[in-house]
Amino acid sequence: MHENALRELEELMDQILARRSDNVPPIPTSTFRMPSRVTLNDAKRQAWFADLANPDVPLAKLGKNVPHGAKGHDLLDLLHSNRVAIPRAVWFLRVFGSNETAGLRNKPTYIPTQYSIDWANVVTGYLKKQLAEISLPSQPRPGLNIKQTFKGILADPESREKWISRFAYSLNLLRAFYSEGLVDNRTFLSWLVQQMATCNLAQLGFITRLADEYLDGMLVNRALTHSFAEACLIKIKELHASTGKEYLGDVEMTLRSLICRMFLALPDAFVSPRTWQSHANTLEDILFGSVDSEQPNGSAQTTKALREIIESHFSDIRRRNEAMLLQHLPTRVLGSLSSALSDIKLLNSLSGKTDMTTVAFFDDSTESFPRKLDTLLTWSVTPLQYGDHRSYAAASLLRLWRDRMEERAVRRDAPSPDEPIQDHLFDWLDTSDVAADPGNILSVSLLFGKLVKSGLFSYLEYVQRLIARGETGLSVNEEKSSRHQQFLRWIPLHSSHSSLISQRKVVLYGVRARDTPEDLIEREIRRELRALLPEVFGGDPLPIGSLKSTFWAECTNLMSAARFEQVKVMKQWLMPILRKYIASEQSDLPETNTHVLQTYTLATIAFARTKSYGCLLDLTLALLEHTSSNDLLVAVIQALRQHMEVWACMDTMRTIAAALFTTHQAWRSRGLHNRTLMTFLLEVDNERYLDVTARQQVDADLSAYVHALYPMTQHAEAVPQLLPEILLLATDSNPEAPSILANNLWYKYMSVPDWAWKVWDNTVASLRQIPVMIPDVEGRRECALRYAAFLSYIDQHLPHGFDNHILEWFKGSGKNEMAALTDDAWDVASVVLLELCIRGALTVTTILEGLIYPVWNLAANTSSPEHGSSLQVLLASVNNLFDHLLLRDECGMGVPPMNIFDAQGLQTRRRDVFREPHFAPLIGIYPILVLMEHNKNLPDQLRHAALSLRQTMRRVSVFRQGVYRDLDTVRLAFERVLESKSVAEELRDPLIKALRHLLSASGDTSDATDWQAMTTLLSPWNLAATAVSIRLTLKHFSESLSRESTRAAASVTLDKLTVMVFRNCKTPEEADFVAEMVTNVCKAIAAKFLNAGFRRMIEILSDQASQNQPEGITSYMTNGGELLRLLARIVEPFRQDLPLPELDPAVQDEFFSALCTKFVQVMDALAAATDEDASGVDGVHPASHSAIFLARLLQFYLSFPGAWSPQSKAKSEQLCAILTQLILFHGTGSGIDQLAFPLLLDTLYYVLDENPVDPKATNMDLFRNYPEFNLADLPRDMPQPYRAQLRTLLPYVAPNQAVADLAYASRDPISGALVVNMPVQNRPWEWTEFLGEYSPQEVKGDERAADERLTLKNATSLSLELFATRLTTEHVMSAGTHTHEPLVQESVHTFQDGLDSDTVFARDWRETRVVLGESDGAPGRGRGEHDDDAQAGPSTERRTSSRKDSPALSVRTGMQYSGPSSATSLRQSPAHKLSKLSVSTGSEIIDVDSLQTPVAGSSGKRKAAPDDDDEVEIVEGPLPLSRTAKKPKPRATAKPRTKKR
């Protein structure tokens, strides 16, 4: 072989192929002509439509022209009535539409898809007309007895069949229209959304089926998806409320499925605060119920993953919606005022049941310690707080914290906390204004005396530090004294160290001072104490009758002395003497016990008055250790019970409990059981201090005592209604008579449950007879004391006491019994009740709640003067009884208390009234006294008495302590009265004034609407009380606004208050205070505050002065932010009770205008910004922070009703455009912001969703104000998640698949590169099926001449030039040629130059097998090959290029409606597959889809989608190749080869 043979052969083949390419004829000019319209008569038109409906008549015969006539709905009815097949009907309607638009195509404004919009309106109107025929019966009108009948179109079988047939035909047409773009998808989907919102339940089933099929088209666009999701949620609620919901189960399931699909595909569609507020619970039930109830196909892992996805999306949607509603705002770090208020509330909650070791006042933070310590110290000494326990509480809390910190310091080898504590305490003394107040010196000395005693404050270091810093004015001899002089003078020293005493003396009085004024005062105090307690110093005790309960007032030196002298005398001098005296008086003689009791009582009163509670406790425990008589034990228990708060704050309850248990054990060892001791021991223990064994023993002893008094097994006779022996007691002067009678009655009736109740009832009846039996007052009172003694013995015989029996009697028959008492009988009854309280047989609270409170309520509601006069005796008596029980301290006035011992007992009993749970009824009666005071139906003296009782009660220290301990109870008590409809309007002002008087330390009743007066109370000590007062004032305004007579005045006052509040409220603490006081007001009051707040916000946004400053773009944010937080807190209670309070329309318009103006300024600032303009810690431009704040402000505003006024609607388009620009700015480049972008995007969602749209409008524009720009215009550096979110905002639906990713392209003549130009626009009304040339005969086979086979026709609606088509002189051999002659077929494939339409697998099968003769099994092999080729039939038909006329429609149309072979899912919308419809040719020789390289420089269309691995590339010769194709080598044979891409 010649060595250059291969090269020469290659050159020869190149020349052959080049010459062959040059001789290829060009593509002929397009000869396509759309069938024209002709006017036919009725007969011919009917015949034409009959032919159209006949599948045997090819469309080529009908395709020359179409009849002109019916349009719109009539045309669709005509097609249905003639039963025209869907593919043929679609062809006809396409031709019809093409003729309709023929005259518009040459106009510059021609839009190819405009007719699709018009046709979509026709089709949707046609469907709507059919759906409208489905109606529901109207609801019967109440009161109208009209018999009505209802017959629906679906009720009759014949009409139902007709309707279903037409509707199904319409849906089939719609399916073809939708997939081919003949109806505008956006228009149709918008109509579908509108139908879901407006349909009735009968139509809902059809709409849901329709939506289920076309949902995928919505999911690419948020405007459609959001509106449709909201409509579905509304329909589900409507369905649940319907009476026929059991018949709509499938419809509900479909709706739930639609919602789940929307939620998973486009979660942002559910970012809508209004939708969230209305349907959050329904949505949660649907989403999680669908996962829990249904068992999806797949593993449990798949189900778990799906649930996690739903949970993630749902939590994100919840967070975003609640953020736009300004719910769950970030907790503000407590400021000084707010933190102090919280601390004070905790301190005021301390009570006798508090365990100080559990009080978490100090935390472990060293930063907050100075502030909390200052609050604690100030609380313990300020006169604005109440209670002797405060200084002890402060010392205990500080000591417990010191111990905890010291233990931690030891573990960590850190410095001890003692030195910092000393420094902070010194600084407080040195700087505190409260400490420097001379009126607080006693409280300061009490506090620091306790701190010195506890080792928390070193007096020596204090003195040394003052000396070291050269403090002047410490000596009393200096003219100008230092504040520390009084502290040195008053702070007590509990232990006498000579060096410290000498140093103190030198500092205060000088080196040469011998006798000091303190020495003189101490001698005078000792003299007063010797006179008060002569028996302690060897003298005779004072007569009991001469002792008054206010004896301490005569000890002037003791009461006025400095705390230093008091402690030095009382603790260091008197206490050792008292201990020695008590220890020496160990005798069971009654006289000795009386002397000890007198000494103890006087000493405890003196200790309490001088606030020497440490001495009081020491003395009490010492006496408790040696007590042996019941009187002494009762006195000790009374002293302990009276000061329970002090003992708890001293943290000595464990010591007291141990001492009481020891005493109980001692008495138990003597065979004695004291119910009072055991009950009090369990009360003190409170299941905390005693060990389990000891507590069980006390419980067992108490149970045994109860059982002994009330034996259940003993049978006794019934108690008679009348017990005459009780009346006889009035004339029995025997001192033992009460005890004997009580013993007898108990012995006879002990096992009868109600015997005590009948004894009391008979006693009251006897008391009514005493004024008749005994004329003189003294005799009657003496007799009353006898009855009181008798009842106290009865109490001792009862297992649980007498108290509950009397309370039941008061609430039952006792009401009438007590009301019937005369004035004299009341005097007797009062003595009995008071004495029973003193003896402990009856509690004060029982008398108050069972007798006094009901009478006061009756008097307050007195409606006539006659009724008021009838209550005069009863009311005056209970007023006097209340005065003696709670307000008076005197004794020996003829009524109990008769002596100082009784007075001390009554003091103890009354303290329970001011403790929980009895304080709530007491404060609840306080406004009732106000009503009595202003009830004109009562006599004047009774009204004045009510005023006097109320004012006196307010001055009681323990009462005020209870008020400040539980201010919420005070508020509720007054609210209950103010909200009562029985309270007259004119009584509301006195009630509010009484409340302000109660809460004011000075009794001030200034107007609570005066901000200046209010700011004077904005201290931690008055803030809570002020808030209660103002809150009730606002409640009063709420009532006034609801009444026509008072509405105008209340509105003016409220406007004044709200304006002053928002103008003066600048600090966060003040904002929180205002928010707190406006909480839980009515909508009318809230609307007043909101309007004032928005007016203030308008002023802030429009402030020109701040805008001229360098930081003007953000200067308004500080005040505006606090104001926004305040307004959000006001609105928060109404979020669950929609709608929100209404705003003034003028305020809304002005605010929206100011907000839009501010948005424009921010956008301008960002547009002009450079990279150097970013400042701040986060490196973000200040204008971005401003944009975020304005977006939050807009979110808050949009939640109010009436937000979209005509003026704001006009500005909405501008606002949406600005928000879009801000979103784009913060989503790309240097301005990208992960906080601003999602927040601004959610704000845009909110604005678009809230923009009002009439759901019943004919043309509902769901895309109003949505941004309009091409997705390609987005910056390339924008993150893909941001791009995807913005894509859903664009008002476009998915493009038709026929033109998806298809664009016009050309090849650069110089470089040969492919240049993509504009995308291809769908022209569904111009691109129609090629029908071919009609010929009666069918041409079989492919035996035409070679020149005839190569003839190409350009007769389709899409010209071949658009695809850069060219002839290759090759033809496609049909797979069906010579199928029955394998040898001939093999020869044809071998020797004929052309392309094979076989599949790759069929060709491989054919070429790799040897065809055998008949004898070698050729028939079988031939059949096998024939079967393989036949299986490739569909592909062959798709690729063949027969010239015969087509009696059918396009391949795409035929495939779309091929019946059962279609596997289209109802879950998907009809797909737009690019079919042969748009590229069909008259002579399909060229495989256009496989053609990769058009002629250079020619223009055509290019598919931009990625290559499919299943496509086959045809190698055609030495043509210019694209970048993705390899240059094939020419082959010697003309037989083509294929390869996979």
Side-chain angles (χ1 to χ4, degrees), residues 1-15 1529-1532:
M1 181 181 292
H2 194 275
E3 60 181 1
N4 295 327
L6 290 178
R7 183 176 60 80
E8 292 175 356
L9 182 59
E10 182 180 6
E11 292 176 356
L12 175 62
M13 292 305 301
D14 288 344
Q15 293 176 10
K1529 294 183 179 181
R1531 302 180 65 89

PDB file of all heavy atoms in Angstrom, residues 1-15 1529-1532:
ATOM      1  N   MET A   1       0.882  -1.200   0.000  1.00  0.00           N
ATOM      2  CA  MET A   1       0.000   0.000   0.000  1.00  0.00           C
ATOM      3  C   MET A   1       0.904   1.230   0.000  1.00  0.00           C
ATOM      4  O   MET A   1       1.937   1.275   0.654  1.00  0.00           O
ATOM      5  CB  MET A   1      -0.898  -0.019   1.219  1.00  0.00           C
ATOM      6  CG  MET A   1      -1.833   1.171   1.274  1.00  0.00           C
ATOM      7  SD  MET A   1      -2.880   1.129   2.747  1.00  0.00           S
ATOM      8  CE  MET A   1      -3.885  -0.277   2.332  1.00  0.00           C
ATOM      9  N   HIS A   2       0.395   2.203  -0.755  1.00  0.00           N
ATOM     10  CA  HIS A   2       1.170   3.448  -0.829  1.00  0.00           C
ATOM     11  C   HIS A   2       1.217   4.079   0.556  1.00  0.00           C
ATOM     12  O   HIS A   2       0.240   4.067   1.303  1.00  0.00           O
ATOM     13  CB  HIS A   2       0.530   4.388  -1.846  1.00  0.00           C
ATOM     14  CG  HIS A   2       1.431   5.523  -2.225  1.00  0.00           C
ATOM     15  ND1 HIS A   2       1.514   6.670  -1.492  1.00  0.00           N
ATOM     16  CD2 HIS A   2       2.284   5.665  -3.276  1.00  0.00           C
ATOM     17  CE1 HIS A   2       2.371   7.495  -2.053  1.00  0.00           C
ATOM     18  NE2 HIS A   2       2.859   6.889  -3.161  1.00  0.00           N
ATOM     19  N   GLU A   3       2.373   4.625   0.908  1.00  0.00           N
ATOM     20  CA  GLU A   3       2.510   5.136   2.258  1.00  0.00           C
ATOM     21  C   GLU A   3       1.617   6.334   2.536  1.00  0.00           C
ATOM     22  O   GLU A   3       1.275   6.625   3.663  1.00  0.00           O
ATOM     23  CB  GLU A   3       3.974   5.531   2.509  1.00  0.00           C
ATOM     24  CG  GLU A   3       4.473   6.608   1.548  1.00  0.00           C
ATOM     25  CD  GLU A   3       5.928   6.965   1.816  1.00  0.00           C
ATOM     26  OE1 GLU A   3       6.532   6.362   2.739  1.00  0.00           O
ATOM     27  OE2 GLU A   3       6.435   7.858   1.154  1.00  0.00           O
ATOM     28  N   ASN A   4       1.203   7.084   1.477  1.00  0.00           N
ATOM     29  CA  ASN A   4       0.311   8.245   1.672  1.00  0.00           C
ATOM     30  C   ASN A   4      -1.131   7.917   1.324  1.00  0.00           C
ATOM     31  O   ASN A   4      -1.937   8.822   1.079  1.00  0.00           O
ATOM     32  CB  ASN A   4       0.782   9.418   0.829  1.00  0.00           C
ATOM     33  CG  ASN A   4       2.144   9.924   1.271  1.00  0.00           C
ATOM     34  OD1 ASN A   4       2.452   9.870   2.464  1.00  0.00           O
ATOM     35  ND2 ASN A   4       2.948  10.391   0.329  1.00  0.00           N
ATOM     36  N   ALA A   5      -1.427   6.622   1.247  1.00  0.00           N
ATOM     37  CA  ALA A   5      -2.779   6.244   0.806  1.00  0.00           C
ATOM     38  C   ALA A   5      -3.847   6.748   1.777  1.00  0.00           C
ATOM     39  O   ALA A   5      -4.875   7.301   1.352  1.00  0.00           O
ATOM     40  CB  ALA A   5      -2.852   4.715   0.669  1.00  0.00           C
ATOM     41  N   LEU A   6      -3.606   6.588   3.016  1.00  0.00           N
ATOM     42  CA  LEU A   6      -4.619   7.021   3.990  1.00  0.00           C
ATOM     43  C   LEU A   6      -4.809   8.529   3.952  1.00  0.00           C
ATOM     44  O   LEU A   6      -5.929   9.036   4.006  1.00  0.00           O
ATOM     45  CB  LEU A   6      -4.222   6.564   5.394  1.00  0.00           C
ATOM     46  CG  LEU A   6      -4.297   5.063   5.648  1.00  0.00           C
ATOM     47  CD1 LEU A   6      -3.831   4.739   7.065  1.00  0.00           C
ATOM     48  CD2 LEU A   6      -5.708   4.549   5.435  1.00  0.00           C
ATOM     49  N   ARG A   7      -3.714   9.254   3.844  1.00  0.00           N
ATOM     50  CA  ARG A   7      -3.852  10.714   3.814  1.00  0.00           C
ATOM     51  C   ARG A   7      -4.572  11.164   2.561  1.00  0.00           C
ATOM     52  O   ARG A   7      -5.446  12.039   2.602  1.00  0.00           O
ATOM     53  CB  ARG A   7      -2.460  11.341   3.893  1.00  0.00           C
ATOM     54  CG  ARG A   7      -2.497  12.879   3.944  1.00  0.00           C
ATOM     55  CD  ARG A   7      -1.098  13.435   4.108  1.00  0.00           C
ATOM     56  NE  ARG A   7      -0.250  13.015   2.990  1.00  0.00           N
ATOM     57  CZ  ARG A   7      -0.255  13.602   1.781  1.00  0.00           C
ATOM     58  NH1 ARG A   7      -1.074  14.606   1.535  1.00  0.00           N
ATOM     59  NH2 ARG A   7       0.551  13.171   0.823  1.00  0.00           N
ATOM     60  N   GLU A   8      -4.209  10.576   1.415  1.00  0.00           N
ATOM     61  CA  GLU A   8      -4.871  10.941   0.159  1.00  0.00           C
ATOM     62  C   GLU A   8      -6.335  10.547   0.190  1.00  0.00           C
ATOM     63  O   GLU A   8      -7.211  11.268  -0.316  1.00  0.00           O
ATOM     64  CB  GLU A   8      -4.154  10.267  -1.001  1.00  0.00           C
ATOM     65  CG  GLU A   8      -2.755  10.825  -1.232  1.00  0.00           C
ATOM     66  CD  GLU A   8      -2.024  10.047  -2.328  1.00  0.00           C
ATOM     67  OE1 GLU A   8      -2.625   9.050  -2.812  1.00  0.00           O
ATOM     68  OE2 GLU A   8      -0.901  10.431  -2.672  1.00  0.00           O
ATOM     69  N   LEU A   9      -6.614   9.365   0.767  1.00  0.00           N
ATOM     70  CA  LEU A   9      -8.020   8.953   0.896  1.00  0.00           C
ATOM     71  C   LEU A   9      -8.796   9.939   1.764  1.00  0.00           C
ATOM     72  O   LEU A   9      -9.951  10.275   1.476  1.00  0.00           O
ATOM     73  CB  LEU A   9      -8.088   7.548   1.484  1.00  0.00           C
ATOM     74  CG  LEU A   9      -9.496   6.957   1.648  1.00  0.00           C
ATOM     75  CD1 LEU A   9     -10.186   6.896   0.287  1.00  0.00           C
ATOM     76  CD2 LEU A   9      -9.425   5.566   2.275  1.00  0.00           C
ATOM     77  N   GLU A  10      -8.168  10.390   2.805  1.00  0.00           N
ATOM     78  CA  GLU A  10      -8.833  11.382   3.667  1.00  0.00           C
ATOM     79  C   GLU A  10      -9.098  12.672   2.913  1.00  0.00           C
ATOM     80  O   GLU A  10     -10.172  13.275   3.005  1.00  0.00           O
ATOM     81  CB  GLU A  10      -7.961  11.642   4.883  1.00  0.00           C
ATOM     82  CG  GLU A  10      -8.598  12.640   5.855  1.00  0.00           C
ATOM     83  CD  GLU A  10      -7.710  12.882   7.061  1.00  0.00           C
ATOM     84  OE1 GLU A  10      -6.568  12.377   7.087  1.00  0.00           O
ATOM     85  OE2 GLU A  10      -8.181  13.586   7.986  1.00  0.00           O
ATOM     86  N   GLU A  11      -8.116  13.122   2.131  1.00  0.00           N
ATOM     87  CA  GLU A  11      -8.320  14.345   1.342  1.00  0.00           C
ATOM     88  C   GLU A  11      -9.425  14.151   0.334  1.00  0.00           C
ATOM     89  O   GLU A  11     -10.229  15.064   0.081  1.00  0.00           O
ATOM     90  CB  GLU A  11      -7.014  14.718   0.654  1.00  0.00           C
ATOM     91  CG  GLU A  11      -5.925  15.161   1.619  1.00  0.00           C
ATOM     92  CD  GLU A  11      -4.611  15.434   0.907  1.00  0.00           C
ATOM     93  OE1 GLU A  11      -4.563  15.186  -0.323  1.00  0.00           O
ATOM     94  OE2 GLU A  11      -3.659  15.875   1.580  1.00  0.00           O
ATOM     95  N   LEU A  12      -9.467  12.966  -0.266  1.00  0.00           N
ATOM     96  CA  LEU A  12     -10.520  12.695  -1.248  1.00  0.00           C
ATOM     97  C   LEU A  12     -11.902  12.770  -0.597  1.00  0.00           C
ATOM     98  O   LEU A  12     -12.833  13.370  -1.142  1.00  0.00           O
ATOM     99  CB  LEU A  12     -10.292  11.313  -1.859  1.00  0.00           C
ATOM    100  CG  LEU A  12     -11.397  10.832  -2.828  1.00  0.00           C
ATOM    101  CD1 LEU A  12     -11.497  11.780  -4.029  1.00  0.00           C
ATOM    102  CD2 LEU A  12     -11.125   9.389  -3.279  1.00  0.00           C
ATOM    103  N   MET A  13     -12.015  12.161   0.556  1.00  0.00           N
ATOM    104  CA  MET A  13     -13.313  12.182   1.247  1.00  0.00           C
ATOM    105  C   MET A  13     -13.684  13.591   1.653  1.00  0.00           C
ATOM    106  O   MET A  13     -14.861  13.988   1.599  1.00  0.00           O
ATOM    107  CB  MET A  13     -13.268  11.263   2.462  1.00  0.00           C
ATOM    108  CG  MET A  13     -13.169   9.777   2.123  1.00  0.00           C
ATOM    109  SD  MET A  13     -14.469   9.216   1.041  1.00  0.00           S
ATOM    110  CE  MET A  13     -15.911   9.604   1.976  1.00  0.00           C
ATOM    111  N   ASP A  14     -12.686  14.383   2.055  1.00  0.00           N
ATOM    112  CA  ASP A  14     -12.987  15.786   2.410  1.00  0.00           C
ATOM    113  C   ASP A  14     -13.508  16.527   1.197  1.00  0.00           C
ATOM    114  O   ASP A  14     -14.453  17.326   1.288  1.00  0.00           O
ATOM    115  CB  ASP A  14     -11.720  16.445   2.936  1.00  0.00           C
ATOM    116  CG  ASP A  14     -11.360  15.930   4.314  1.00  0.00           C
ATOM    117  OD1 ASP A  14     -12.244  15.317   4.959  1.00  0.00           O
ATOM    118  OD2 ASP A  14     -10.208  16.141   4.764  1.00  0.00           O
ATOM    119  N   GLN A  15     -12.910  16.308   0.039  1.00  0.00           N
ATOM    120  CA  GLN A  15     -13.376  16.995  -1.171  1.00  0.00           C
ATOM    121  C   GLN A  15     -14.777  16.540  -1.549  1.00  0.00           C
ATOM    122  O   GLN A  15     -15.613  17.343  -1.977  1.00  0.00           O
ATOM    123  CB  GLN A  15     -12.391  16.716  -2.300  1.00  0.00           C
ATOM    124  CG  GLN A  15     -11.016  17.345  -2.095  1.00  0.00           C
ATOM    125  CD  GLN A  15     -10.052  16.945  -3.192  1.00  0.00           C
ATOM    126  OE1 GLN A  15     -10.454  16.337  -4.212  1.00  0.00           O
ATOM    127  NE2 GLN A  15      -8.772  17.286  -3.005  1.00  0.00           N
ATOM    128  N   LYS A1529     -14.490  12.417  12.503  1.00  0.00           N
ATOM    129  CA  LYS A1529     -13.652  12.118  11.335  1.00  0.00           C
ATOM    130  C   LYS A1529     -14.524  11.565  10.217  1.00  0.00           C
ATOM    131  O   LYS A1529     -15.379  10.739  10.444  1.00  0.00           O
ATOM    132  CB  LYS A1529     -12.586  11.102  11.704  1.00  0.00           C
ATOM    133  CG  LYS A1529     -11.578  11.640  12.709  1.00  0.00           C
ATOM    134  CD  LYS A1529     -10.502  10.619  12.997  1.00  0.00           C
ATOM    135  CE  LYS A1529      -9.485  11.169  13.986  1.00  0.00           C
ATOM    136  NZ  LYS A1529      -8.412  10.193  14.276  1.00  0.00           N
ATOM    137  N   PRO A1530     -14.307  12.020   8.941  1.00  0.00           N
ATOM    138  CA  PRO A1530     -15.097  11.472   7.804  1.00  0.00           C
ATOM    139  C   PRO A1530     -14.809  10.006   7.624  1.00  0.00           C
ATOM    140  O   PRO A1530     -13.688   9.537   7.823  1.00  0.00           O
ATOM    141  CB  PRO A1530     -14.637  12.307   6.622  1.00  0.00           C
ATOM    142  CG  PRO A1530     -13.958  13.499   7.218  1.00  0.00           C
ATOM    143  CD  PRO A1530     -13.391  13.072   8.506  1.00  0.00           C
ATOM    144  N   ARG A1531     -15.835   9.312   7.246  1.00  0.00           N
ATOM    145  CA  ARG A1531     -15.709   7.867   7.037  1.00  0.00           C
ATOM    146  C   ARG A1531     -15.794   7.562   5.553  1.00  0.00           C
ATOM    147  O   ARG A1531     -16.395   8.310   4.776  1.00  0.00           O
ATOM    148  CB  ARG A1531     -16.789   7.125   7.792  1.00  0.00           C
ATOM    149  CG  ARG A1531     -16.771   7.408   9.299  1.00  0.00           C
ATOM    150  CD  ARG A1531     -17.886   6.641  10.001  1.00  0.00           C
ATOM    151  NE  ARG A1531     -17.652   5.217   9.901  1.00  0.00           N
ATOM    152  CZ  ARG A1531     -16.928   4.522  10.801  1.00  0.00           C
ATOM    153  NH1 ARG A1531     -16.363   5.128  11.817  1.00  0.00           N
ATOM    154  NH2 ARG A1531     -16.757   3.208  10.657  1.00  0.00           N
ATOM    155  N   ALA A1532     -15.256   6.481   5.169  1.00  0.00           N
ATOM    156  CA  ALA A1532     -15.252   6.108   3.739  1.00  0.00           C
ATOM    157  C   ALA A1532     -16.635   5.745   3.279  1.00  0.00           C
ATOM    158  O   ALA A1532     -17.016   5.981   2.149  1.00  0.00           O
ATOM    159  CB  ALA A1532     -14.276   4.959   3.482  1.00  0.00           C
TER     160      ALA A1532
END
